Amino acid sequence: MSTSIIIIIITSLISYTALNNYDQLDKLSMQPYMVSRHNQYYRFITSGFVHGDMQHLLFNMLTLLFFGEYVENVFQFLFGSKLVFPLYYILGIIVADIPSFLRHRNNQYYSSIGASGAISAVLFTFIMVEPWTTIRIFFVLPVPAIIYGVLFLAISAYMSRKGGSNVDHSAHLWGAIFGIVFPLVFHPEIGTFFIGKLLHRF
């Protein structure tokens, strides 16, 4: 069984139980104020295993199902270890939460949940390796992965600056950036490979 499937099972179970137990949801969510004032650093990780509703959970887990195992195999080839992917996934959750933590650490009413940071990381690592693979938006509209990625980053950046929403769009943005940077740090040749794939299409 792949690590992605294991993550999907664990996340789905925790999210489902938390949706039926507000106290559990509250204890696991990312609350920068509680981290800053009460040193509850575990929230950087646990927030990635709970979701606000079934639609949120389904979207994230389907994305992980579609792209996770492929990225696992890429990392297995690059690093020769199955442990890299789960570490990368957890780091994706943490790194994507840091900007919101810094921005809202004095706001006792702010909280966020979801694996969007890690899921964005997985998606953009996939795009680095397969930029021209077709991604079907809403399972219908076919778009090349690289085009989808550009639109995703632009919308996330705009919505993050706009604010006024309970959705942590900055987690999408920073997770995506992490998904690009992580493999490049250890294997810079992926950048050359990515550019070669882009140019080959033309």
Side-chain angles (χ1 to χ4, degrees):
M1 184 181 295
S2 71
T3 302
S4 294
I5 296 298
I6 295 173
I7 292 172
I8 289 170
I9 293 171
I10 293 173
T11 304
S12 297
L13 288 173
I14 295 175
S15 293
Y16 179 77
T17 56
L19 283 172
N20 294 286
N21 186 335
Y22 178 79
D23 287 339
Q24 181 180 346
L25 185 66
D26 183 67
K27 289 177 181 177
L28 298 179
S29 64
M30 179 55 182
Q31 298 181 26
Y33 183 86
M34 297 300 289
V35 175
S36 178
R37 300 301 175 91
H38 300 285
N39 299 321
Q40 295 180 358
Y41 294 104
Y42 71 87
R43 293 178 183 271
F44 274 104
I45 297 176
T46 59
S47 61
F49 290 89
V50 288
H51 290 75
D53 52 48
M54 293 304 294
Q55 182 180 354
H56 187 200
L57 173 65
L58 182 63
F59 179 81
N60 277 345
M61 294 303 99
L62 279 177
T63 304
L64 183 57
L65 179 66
F66 293 154
F67 303 106
E69 189 169 357
Y70 184 92
V71 174
E72 282 185 59
N73 292 333
V74 169
F75 284 176
Q76 174 70 29
F77 174 77
L78 292 175
F79 299 100
S81 173
K82 292 184 177 181
L83 296 178
V84 175
F85 182 81
L87 176 62
Y88 150 93
Y89 187 88
I90 295 297
L91 284 174
I93 296 172
I94 295 171
V95 169
D97 272 344
I98 290 175
S100 292
F101 166 74
L102 295 175
R103 184 177 181 181
H104 297 286
R105 63 185 181 276
N106 295 317
N107 181 356
Q108 61 181 314
Y109 301 108
Y110 178 87
S111 67
S112 64
I113 50 178
S116 297
I119 300 303
S120 295
V122 170
L123 175 61
F124 274 80
T125 297
F126 175 86
I127 290 172
M128 289 291 291
V129 181
E130 296 289 349
W132 294 112
T133 295
T134 298
I135 292 179
R136 293 190 176 275
I137 301 176
F138 304 119
F139 304 102
V140 178
L141 182 63
V143 176
I146 184 63
I147 302 301
Y148 176 84
V150 171
L151 292 173
F152 182 94
L153 285 176
I155 293 171
S156 294
Y158 170 76
M159 295 301 293
S160 179
R161 295 183 66 179
K162 180 180 179 182
S165 170
N166 291 328
V167 178
D168 188 1
H169 292 284
S170 69
H172 299 157
L173 177 62
W174 289 103
I177 293 172
F178 175 77
I180 295 170
V181 172
F182 181 89
L184 288 177
V185 168
F186 298 98
H187 289 276
E189 68 273 14
I190 291 177
T192 304
F193 176 82
F194 172 70
I195 293 172
K197 278 237 174 182
L198 286 181
L199 296 179
H200 179 73
R201 183 63 178 255
F202 301 102

